Amino acid sequence: MTLRISIFVFVLAVASIPAFPQEQKLHKTTAPQTSAASGKQMYTAYCGSCHGTSGKGDGPAASSLKTTPPDLTTLKAKANGKFPGAHVYQVIKGDANTPAHGSKDMPVWGPVFLRLSGSHGAEVHQRIDNLTRYIESIQH
């Protein structure tokens, strides 16, 4: 769990840096509390540092990652015009084996959302569902 939170803390710290110079030191911080009802607010707080504010994979932390974050605005187009909502939900939760988010054994967001929600499963589902819907809303 500590490794998962550390990864999350790294991403949040990078998100607060206007540019990502190599000599910049990162500071640990806790995950900000966001509204479970706002997919946009969660996206900005948790995803924007890597995927960028517009979802194109050009966030301030993107250049420091081994794998370039995908352009989230093209998921529907790549899936023959049907948004892959179930897959996106699984990736966010940590159930999908996605290299950039770690293996199935090391999910990133599911445990963070569980902690933020005080271990309330229904709120975790609401967070992931609303974040998935927001990502659907930014499709081209």
Side-chain angles (χ1 to χ4, degrees):
M1 182 71 164
T2 302
L3 180 58
R4 292 179 201 139
I5 297 301
S6 295
I7 292 168
F8 176 71
V9 168
F10 167 77
V11 170
L12 286 177
V14 170
S16 66
I17 302 170
F20 192 69
Q22 292 295 332
E23 69 277 357
Q24 180 69 42
K25 290 188 178 190
L26 302 176
H27 302 284
K28 290 186 177 186
T29 184
T30 57
Q33 188 61 254
T34 58
S35 169
S38 175
K40 183 176 183 175
Q41 186 182 61
M42 287 185 289
Y43 178 87
T44 300
Y46 310 129
C47 310
S49 61
C50 295
H51 292 283
T53 56
S54 65
K56 295 191 178 290
D58 58 355
S63 64
S64 69
L65 302 174
K66 290 181 183 179
T67 304
T68 302
D71 180 343
L72 298 179
T73 67
T74 62
L75 297 175
K76 182 177 176 181
K78 290 179 180 177
N80 298 317
K82 184 175 185 321
F83 180 72
H87 177 71
V88 171
Y89 185 100
Q90 289 179 331
V91 169
I92 294 167
K93 186 176 179 188
D95 287 346
N97 188 5
T98 305
H101 284 251
S103 69
K104 192 172 182 177
D105 298 325
M106 192 181 81
V108 176
W109 301 114
V112 173
F113 289 163
L114 190 64
R115 186 179 55 76
L116 287 173
S117 70
S119 298
H120 293 100
E123 185 177 322
V124 173
H125 170 73
Q126 180 187 19
R127 284 182 177 281
I128 297 171
D129 190 56
N130 286 335
L131 185 50
T132 299
R133 290 174 192 264
Y134 177 74
I135 294 168
E136 183 175 17
S137 78
I138 63 172
Q139 298 305 293
H140 288 295

